[in-house]
Amino acid sequence: MIKLQDGPLTLFESALYKTMSAVVETSDAVIIVDPCWLPHEVEEIRQYVDALAGNRPKYMLFTHSDYDHIIGYGAFPDAAVIASAALADKTEADKEAIREQIRDFEHSYYLERDYEIAYPVVTHRAEADGQVLDLGHSSNSGDGTRLTFYLSPGHNDDGIYTVIEPIGLLFAGDYWSDLEFPYIYFSSTEYEASITKLDTILAKHAITRLIPGHGNSTTDQTEMKRRQQADFAYIAAMREAVRAGDQATIDGLIEGCKFPRNMRKFHRGNQTLFERELKGSGHSGS
């Protein structure tokens, strides 16, 4: 599964949807990001972490609550959990709906795991842009592991971006992918507001690598900005084409995408969301 090893960072790529999990090793902690998908993949990550951690505390960072990103939660019972307050505060009905998605996935492919399917219990809550979590005793002197959070609703309602310093890693969740156009389940306007935050993050932090939830990471800030602008352009074009009722233009927005048979359904889902927003019945308008 190992896609990349670069100093303290190891990236694991799932066979499904090119989903990225990560392990970050610092002097203070071992941080596991979105461990997923298949049972043997989660087990590979778990074994890697167990061999690496030693006496250091383990933390699991969840970028958002989509079931594919939290599916490995139960494999790390000794890890403290870092996630947004919105992820932590979902209703019991919403949590159960996500657990049901995992069960449906498991039953669809006859999968079995050696841990219980559960929704994460959050230890450290990210509640506001710029909130900081220092890990380890050395953080008080300014040279330890520091996590800074930025809320990122839009894709869904509970995403966060996380900057890990002093390494300069930016974990983006399901944003800024080089493989996917914006998948918008919650709000297109909040999605736009969230991707705007890249400017603030790049200005305030020395970002060395951006890691999306699906697709390839990048160390090139020009490429980071290109992805941001491509996402802005997709949203603007979709909104205008939906407003005009121009189905041909809508269909053409994903020409050239790598996996059109699957991606088309997410594109259609976006169209439905934009139509609902423009009619004023959705979460947000245009």
Side-chain angles (χ1 to χ4, degrees):
M1 283 183 74
I2 292 179
K3 172 84 169 181
L4 178 143
Q5 288 183 296
D6 183 12
L9 171 68
T10 304
L11 292 180
F12 298 81
E13 183 179 88
S14 172
L16 303 182
Y17 295 100
K18 297 190 180 296
T19 311
M20 300 306 301
S21 301
V23 174
V24 181
E25 176 191 13
T26 77
S27 60
D28 303 310
V30 173
I31 304 166
I32 310 135
V33 185
D34 291 355
C36 62
W37 257 89
L38 296 167
H40 71 278
E41 294 177 334
V42 175
E43 178 60 23
E44 181 177 336
I45 297 169
R46 176 165 57 184
Q47 290 182 11
Y48 184 87
V49 168
D50 286 346
L52 190 69
N55 294 323
R56 284 171 294 185
K58 301 173 187 174
Y59 295 86
M60 253 191 306
L61 169 65
F62 291 113
T63 60
H64 60 299
S65 68
D66 283 357
Y67 84 93
D68 53 322
H69 291 261
I70 69 162
I71 199 168
Y73 164 64
F76 301 88
D78 56 343
V81 174
I82 303 166
S84 71
L87 183 151
D89 291 341
K90 282 196 181 297
T91 67
E92 285 306 314
D94 287 341
K95 293 176 183 178
E96 178 58 19
I98 293 169
R99 289 190 292 264
E100 271 297 292
Q101 286 182 301
I102 298 174
R103 295 183 193 113
D104 284 345
F105 172 73
E106 306 288 87
H107 285 219
S108 294
Y109 298 101
Y110 301 172
L111 299 178
E112 295 180 317
R113 299 176 191 263
D114 63 359
Y115 58 87
E116 180 183 357
I117 297 304
Y119 187 88
V121 177
V122 177
T123 315
H124 301 282
R125 299 160 56 96
E127 299 184 333
D129 287 355
Q131 180 180 334
V132 169
L133 174 64
D134 284 322
L135 304 180
H137 64 279
S138 61
S139 296
N140 294 327
S141 63
D143 60 356
T145 307
R146 169 168 289 191
L147 279 60
T148 304
F149 307 109
Y150 296 86
L151 305 184
S152 61
H155 167 71
N156 74 348
D157 63 350
D158 60 26
I160 51 170
Y161 305 136
T162 303
V163 178
I164 299 181
E165 293 172 314
I167 310 166
L169 304 177
L170 169 56
F171 286 94
D174 283 359
Y175 292 88
W176 302 318
S177 171
D178 65 330
L179 182 66
E180 298 175 343
F181 50 86
Y183 287 10
I184 308 174
Y185 306 150
F186 182 56
S187 164
S188 68
T189 52
E190 293 204 33
Y191 196 107
E192 287 174 305
S194 290
I195 60 176
T196 298
K197 294 180 184 182
L198 180 63
D199 301 331
T200 299
I201 293 168
L202 292 179
K204 289 188 174 182
H205 305 274
I207 300 300
T208 60
R209 184 179 296 273
L210 182 153
I211 301 111
H214 304 267
N216 293 300
S217 67
T218 181
T219 60
D220 184 350
Q221 293 198 4
T222 300
E223 169 62 11
M224 298 176 200
K225 290 291 294 179
R226 186 202 66 77
R227 296 183 189 188
Q228 179 199 44
Q229 294 306 311
D231 290 347
F232 277 132
Y234 172 91
I235 292 170
M238 172 67 91
R239 185 177 289 133
E240 182 56 36
V242 167
R243 183 181 285 115
D246 185 351
Q247 190 62 49
T249 294
I250 293 169
D251 293 343
L253 289 178
I254 61 168
E255 283 184 4
C257 69
K258 193 169 184 180
F259 301 100
R261 295 183 183 216
N262 181 66
M263 289 182 168
R264 197 170 291 119
K265 68 183 179 184
F266 295 101
H267 185 55
R268 289 279 183 260
N270 285 348
Q271 179 179 350
T272 299
L273 178 138
F274 276 82
E275 289 169 348
R276 185 171 68 245
E277 289 182 342
L278 289 169
K279 289 176 182 176
S281 60
H283 174 79
S284 65
S286 62

